[in-house]
Structure formats: structure tokens, C-alpha cells
Amino acid sequence: MKDRKKRSGFVPWGSFFRCTLLLLFFSGFTLSTFRLFFRERFRPRLVSTWRMPPMKVIAGVSPSTPPITIQETVIFPDQALIYLKYPSSTLLFTKDDIDCIYLLPNSSEPQIKLSPVSVDGQYSDHQTVRCPRQPRDTIVSLAVKSNGNLLPGPTTLRWDSLAYEAIIDRDNTTVVFVKGLSLRSGRVSDPSKFKCLYGWDLRKPKFVLWSEVVSVAQEIVRCKTPLSILNSPQRFNTSIKVSIRVVGRQTLKSIARPKVRLPDPRPLYKKQHEMCICTMLRNQARFLPEWIVYHSRIGVQRWFLYDNNSDDDIEDVVESLVGANYNVTRHVWPWIKTQEAGFAHCALRARDSCEWVGFIDVDEFFHLPLGLSLYNVVRNQSRPSEVAELRVSCHSFGPSGLKKVPVKGVTVGYTCRLAVWERHKSIMRPEALNSSLINMVHHFHLQAGFRYANMDRNVLVINHYKYQVWEVFKEKFYRRVATYVSDWQQERNVGSKDRTPGLGTKAVEPPDWSTRFCEVEDTGLRDRVLKTFTDPKTGRLPWQHLSNEH
């Protein structure tokens, strides 16, 4: 009896362990969040914070201070992209602080040490490091120069089979940008063939929340966001990943952490900017001053630059433009062959502040032959109100007899073009964009009830300085950013308009390059620029001053 009383106060080990787990679980989640898991008919599968892998400590850092770690490494054909995670109030690395280290598997002895291609400190709590292409059969890592210690990191991921970006939209759906679905361009796919997954560790199905796919097209998937994700504290959202599974196949690897975009509380308010521009660029920094200054003079107020792995000091050029009071922001977009996805991402970002957004490249300039402002033309041509996209024809200019980059800029230097216009580019109202976000780079799919209008080429046209001097043009051989466009070094779609006639697959300058593509002498934009932009005292154009600063 005495012994029985003692045992009645004894808590079995299994019960103690379960109670401990329960307490730990509630320490990571609020009671309201716990209820939401069950209200949605989802099983409580998210991993609480106590299950996260232990942080590795770098030598020289106090054990009480969270260390800098490699969060993810993504391998591209020509480089490795490394995400570094920083604790708060820690100084970010510069290129002079770290080395790219290449090791053999299961070895800690560096085989090769190289300098990073770039170190980008755009973010407050993490940054990206781009390392040169890694030698075969090696693993890439980073080492701190001050002490030589390697930064620990997870297994590397492939760029072409990956969920890489995610945004929680106004309607609380999650827009996920992915590579590896191999869907057809411009087509909506059956959403029932896909599933969305949320969690800290997507490799463990029992710790994952599943949700329905609302729409899927090209490389963009819209998911129904679980309420528990929407209502969980921000500290959970910064760790939770989202990915896509094709039914019957494996789940895509993911580094996509949903970024919240709160609904606009004033849907009918006048937006901050009437006219904005989105572009994606790589190593075009020297052409930015002319492109930005010119378009600001004709009515553009805001620019969204999607930087696709530039290594030409674009940060300094953007900083100088911002210092000159141009509203320009640079968004790091390292994902290759994703121009359609990048433009959709930009449309979502621009929607809150821009009435109209133009989607053009840095070698394309809106030209108003009648001397009107872009704002007035867009406003007049978009009546009636159901017109939500203006399609603007493009004239393709050639080298115009030049062999060197024109000193006064492309608008002044190139004056000879092809006779027939090629394609079009769009100016659109982002509010009218179809929820699937389908676009073909040149134009978008609109919501029901909206339509497009073709612009009169005597009112608005695009001067596309497509075939510039060989020094500039040859860069196009090395990377094409559009997903559904063949690279010029590959023997595919030889007759496509995306290829330059007669060039083949080698970046070798034809002897007559400087005189090609010249059928019509067109000095309209050059004459307007020289008349309205030239400084009467110095004879210089405004972008020449900005360019000389670099």
C-alpha cells in the first residue's frame, strides 16, 4: 500500500515527454493559431521552432551571438548563388571580406580560392553572394578572410527545378514563381494536377501544410494560402517556405518564403504615379542615365529595375540617379530565363503606386512624333475606360554606319532603321492584369471586361535600338532572359524573329555589320532630343554629365 501511494505520484516518462512536447509546441504558436490549424481541416504539421537545426558558430563570434550562416546555395550554369543569413545589427560582408572556396566532397581542405563576382547587400538581414562557376566535382562554400573559417551551409540546389520567389497577394493567395514545370507559353494549365505545400522543412510530409492551387500558367502558380500562415506571427512567415508538387511527381525544392503584401485600405484613391516603367537588364548600367533622363522628360515618374546578374557596377549608377532625384529602385533578380515571371512580379509591386506601367528594355525608347507628353497620350488613348493595355509598335534601328558607341547616346547616334515595324511592347494598367499573370513579355492577358488598343504610330512608337555597334550587340549572344526564347548559341528556331538574320550561332562580327539593317533614315527622335535636351552653354546632353561621373 505504501509502495502503491508512491507510484500514484509518479509520472511515467512517456507522459512527461508528451507534456514537454505540448509545452514546446505552444511556445512556438499562439492559441488562436493552433485553433486555425484545425478550423481549416488541415492537420497541425508545421514544425515548431525547437525542431530547427542548430546554428553553427563561427570562430571569433561570441557563442551568445547568432552567427552568420549560409541559408541556401543555388547552382547556375555559370555561377553559384549563395544566400547569407545575418543576425540583427550585424555588419554585412563586402567583396573584400570573403572568398569563394571550392572543396572536394567530404573534405574541408580548399582546392581553389576565388574572389566573388558580386556581393549584394540590398537586404537588411541577408545578402546574396555570386561565386564563379564551380569546377567539376567540387562543392562551393565561403570563407571569412579575417580568420579563414568556412561558413556552414545546406545542400546545394539546382536553378532549373526550384520554387524561388513568393508573394502573398491582396486576395490572400500566394503567388509562387517556379522553374521546372515545363508548361506551355501563354496557356493556363489544369490546377487540379498541382498542390501547394507550406512548412519549415518540406522534405518531411508529416510537418507540411497542403493547400489547393487556384491557377497555374507558364512558371507562375497561385495557391490558396492557409489561414494559419496568414495569421501566424511574422517571425514564422520569414522561415516558412512554399513549394509546388505536380501530382504523381516529387515536390520541387524551394527557397521561396512568402512575402506579405497587405491589401490596400483605400482601393479608390488616386495613385502616387501616373506612369511607371518595369525592365529587366544585365550589364546595361552605362546606358541607364540616358534611358532614365529621357523618359523622365516625357512623363515617366518611377522605374523598377530587375537586375539579372549584372557585374558592371550598376549599384553606383543607380545611386547617382537616385541622388539626382530620379525615383529608381533596383531589385535583385538572379533567376535566368525568367523575364515573363519577372515582369509579373514587377506588375504586382507596381500596382499599388502606379496607374500605368510600361514594360520595355533599356535599348527601347518611347517616341512621340507629335511632341506630346506620354502622360497625355496614355490618358487620351485609354478612353473608354475598358481599355487597359496600349500596344506600341517597335521600329528596329541598326548600327547606322557607326563602329563605336555614340558619345551623345543611342537616341542621337543611331538614325537608320528597318522599314517594317517589328512586334510591339505594352503600357498597361496593373489593376486589370489577369489573375493568372500570364504575359508574353510583349503583352499581358487581361481580366474579363478589359481590352487592349493598338497605338497609332504617328502618335506613339518605340525606337528599338536593337542592332547597335558590335561591341554592344555581341552581349546578346551570352544570355537571353526570356523563358520561351532560344539562346543564340543553340541551333534552335533558326528562322525566329528573335534571331538576327545571317548571324548564325557564333559571336563573330560580320565585315559589313555597321551598314546592316539600314533601310529608312529616321532622325525624328534625334532631332527632338538635340533641340529640347541640349545645354545651350555647354552643348552637352544631360545624361553625358551623369555618365561622366562613372
Side-chain angles (χ1 to χ4, degrees):
M1 188 72 179
K2 196 175 189 178
D3 185 61
R4 187 176 300 169
K5 286 183 179 180
K6 286 183 180 179
R7 290 190 180 187
S8 65
F10 174 77
V11 179
W13 171 249
S15 299
F16 173 79
F17 185 68
R18 285 193 295 271
C19 291
T20 303
L21 286 179
L22 188 62
L23 287 172
L24 287 169
F25 183 88
F26 274 97
S27 70
F29 295 95
T30 63
L31 182 59
S32 59
T33 302
F34 179 77
R35 286 172 179 164
L36 283 166
F37 272 102
F38 289 93
R39 188 182 304 165
E40 296 172 280
R41 297 182 181 177
F42 289 112
R43 283 176 287 179
R45 290 180 171 179
L46 283 179
V47 188
S48 57
T49 52
W50 67 274
R51 294 188 64 91
M52 294 180 68
M55 303 284 276
K56 304 285 182 74
V57 176
I58 303 171
V61 179
S62 168
S64 62
T65 303
I68 301 170
T69 58
I70 295 177
Q71 194 172 35
E72 282 108 6
T73 299
V74 182
I75 303 300
F76 290 87
D78 57 350
Q79 62 187 239
L81 178 69
I82 300 176
Y83 283 82
L84 292 180
K85 179 68 175 177
Y86 280 74
S88 59
S89 72
T90 302
L91 293 177
L92 301 182
F93 284 136
T94 68
K95 286 179 67 172
D96 297 328
D97 296 327
I98 50 179
D99 285 317
C100 297
I101 302 296
Y102 303 88
L103 311 99
L104 294 174
N106 302 317
S107 171
S108 60
E109 292 298 322
Q111 300 296 304
I112 302 175
K113 180 188 298 184
L114 298 173
S115 296
V117 176
S118 71
V119 176
D120 199 289
Q122 176 177 335
Y123 309 100
S124 59
D125 63 343
H126 72 275
Q127 65 181 155
T128 57
V129 180
R130 288 192 289 127
C131 288
R133 182 175 182 175
Q134 66 187 87
R136 189 174 180 179
D137 299 325
T138 63
I139 298 170
V140 64
S141 187
L142 297 175
V144 183
K145 285 185 177 181
S146 61
N147 53 31
N149 288 343
L150 294 176
L151 299 180
T155 305
T156 57
L157 305 170
R158 287 175 54 91
W159 73 276
D160 56 356
S161 181
L162 187 70
Y164 58 87
E165 289 275 352
I167 292 178
I168 297 180
D169 204 0
R170 287 177 180 172
D171 61 358
N172 289 333
T173 59
T174 304
V175 180
V176 188
F177 299 86
V178 300
K179 294 292 292 185
L181 295 183
S182 301
L183 303 179
R184 293 188 64 181
S185 171
R187 301 287 183 87
V188 176
S189 298
D190 182 359
S192 68
K193 295 181 179 179
F194 303 85
K195 289 292 183 183
C196 302
L197 301 82
Y198 294 79
W200 277 290
D201 190 345
L202 300 177
R203 297 169 300 176
K204 301 177 180 179
K206 65 179 181 177
F207 296 124
V208 166
L209 280 173
W210 298 76
S211 75
E212 297 176 1
V213 171
V214 178
S215 67
V216 56
Q218 297 180 165
E219 298 188 335
I220 303 171
V221 181
R222 191 179 284 271
C223 303
K224 183 178 179 182
T225 313
L227 287 176
S228 50
I229 303 297
L230 293 172
N231 290 280
S232 62
Q234 186 63 31
R235 62 192 178 95
F236 293 144
N237 285 342
T238 58
S239 299
I240 291 171
K241 295 180 182 179
V242 59
S243 189
I244 306 301
R245 179 169 186 166
V246 184
V247 175
R249 289 165 50 185
Q250 289 186 331
T251 302
L252 292 176
K253 304 293 186 182
S254 178
I255 65 169
R257 294 173 174 83
K259 300 174 182 65
V260 177
R261 296 192 58 76
L262 298 177
D264 190 333
R266 298 177 298 161
L268 299 178
Y269 80 122
K270 181 177 175 59
K271 295 186 179 180
Q272 185 178 4
H273 309 298
E274 285 286 343
M275 184 67 200
C276 305
I277 285 182
C278 283
T279 195
M280 187 175 292
L281 73 165
R282 178 177 182 267
N283 290 343
Q284 299 288 304
R286 60 177 168 167
F287 301 111
L288 276 176
E290 179 183 9
W291 189 72
I292 298 288
V293 173
Y294 168 80
H295 282 102
S296 74
R297 294 285 186 93
I298 66 170
V300 177
Q301 301 161 297
R302 175 84 162 85
W303 293 262
F304 298 85
L305 308 182
Y306 276 56
D307 182 5
N308 194 223
N309 298 320
S310 297
D311 51 21
D312 60 351
D313 299 321
I314 185 174
E315 302 97 321
D316 295 336
V317 176
V318 171
E319 184 178 346
S320 70
L321 288 165
V322 172
N325 295 319
Y326 294 100
N327 195 343
V328 183
T329 54
R330 168 177 167 262
H331 184 83
V332 176
W333 188 264
W335 317 109
I336 62 177
K337 302 291 285 182
T338 59
Q339 189 173 20
E340 293 87 349
F343 277 3
H345 190 277
C346 188
L348 291 178
R349 290 180 59 215
R351 185 181 55 192
D352 290 343
S353 60
C354 304
E355 291 285 355
W356 291 88
V357 182
F359 294 85
I360 61 174
D361 297 331
V362 177
D363 61 355
E364 295 171 336
F365 288 71
F366 287 117
H367 173 37
L368 299 125
L370 299 179
L372 304 173
S373 75
L374 186 58
Y375 167 75
N376 287 331
V377 168
V378 170
R379 176 63 66 90
N380 292 335
Q381 295 294 320
S382 61
R383 296 171 182 169
S385 59
E386 67 264 19
V387 174
E389 180 182 19
L390 303 177
R391 297 186 175 180
V392 188
S393 302
C394 299
H395 283 309
S396 296
F397 282 71
S400 306
L402 302 179
K403 294 187 177 181
K404 293 184 178 180
V405 176
V407 175
K408 291 198 171 186
V410 299
T411 55
V412 174
Y414 301 115
T415 58
C416 202
R417 62 171 173 82
L418 296 175
V420 179
W421 64 274
E422 291 184 339
R423 291 185 170 173
H424 63 263
K425 290 295 180 74
S426 289
I427 302 172
M428 66 159 300
R429 291 170 54 193
E431 294 285 357
L433 184 61
N434 186 282
S435 63
S436 67
L437 303 180
I438 290 181
N439 69 85
M440 307 297 291
V441 176
H442 307 287
H443 59 266
F444 291 78
H445 287 203
L446 302 175
Q447 298 174 27
F450 292 100
R451 63 179 180 87
Y452 70 86
N454 292 315
M455 291 296 303
D456 183 338
R457 289 193 290 277
N458 293 317
V459 175
L460 179 62
V461 70
I462 289 175
N463 278 15
H464 183 188
Y465 300 102
K466 183 176 181 179
Y467 309 112
Q468 298 188 33
V469 295
W470 185 258
E471 171 194 338
V472 175
F473 181 83
K474 67 181 180 181
E475 287 295 320
K476 293 190 176 184
F477 273 87
Y478 301 119
R479 179 171 298 164
R480 309 302 303 281
V481 296
T483 307
Y484 303 97
V485 173
S486 295
D487 292 327
W488 284 355
Q489 297 180 79
Q490 299 175 355
E491 294 281 0
R492 284 194 280 178
N493 297 335
V494 176
S496 169
K497 289 185 178 180
D498 290 309
R499 289 187 175 275
T500 300
L503 275 191
T505 59
K506 304 293 182 183
V508 178
E509 181 180 4
D512 62 340
W513 177 258
S514 65
T515 59
R516 287 191 179 189
F517 318 107
C518 183
E519 297 174 350
V520 176
E521 189 73 19
D522 184 346
T523 63
L525 184 53
R526 182 200 68 177
D527 295 342
R528 183 183 181 190
V529 164
L530 290 177
K531 180 180 179 180
T532 60
F533 287 75
T534 302
D535 187 320
K537 293 182 179 179
T538 65
R540 293 165 63 85
L541 296 169
W543 44 84
Q544 290 182 273
H545 299 289
L546 287 169
S547 298
N548 288 341
E549 294 177 6
H550 304 281

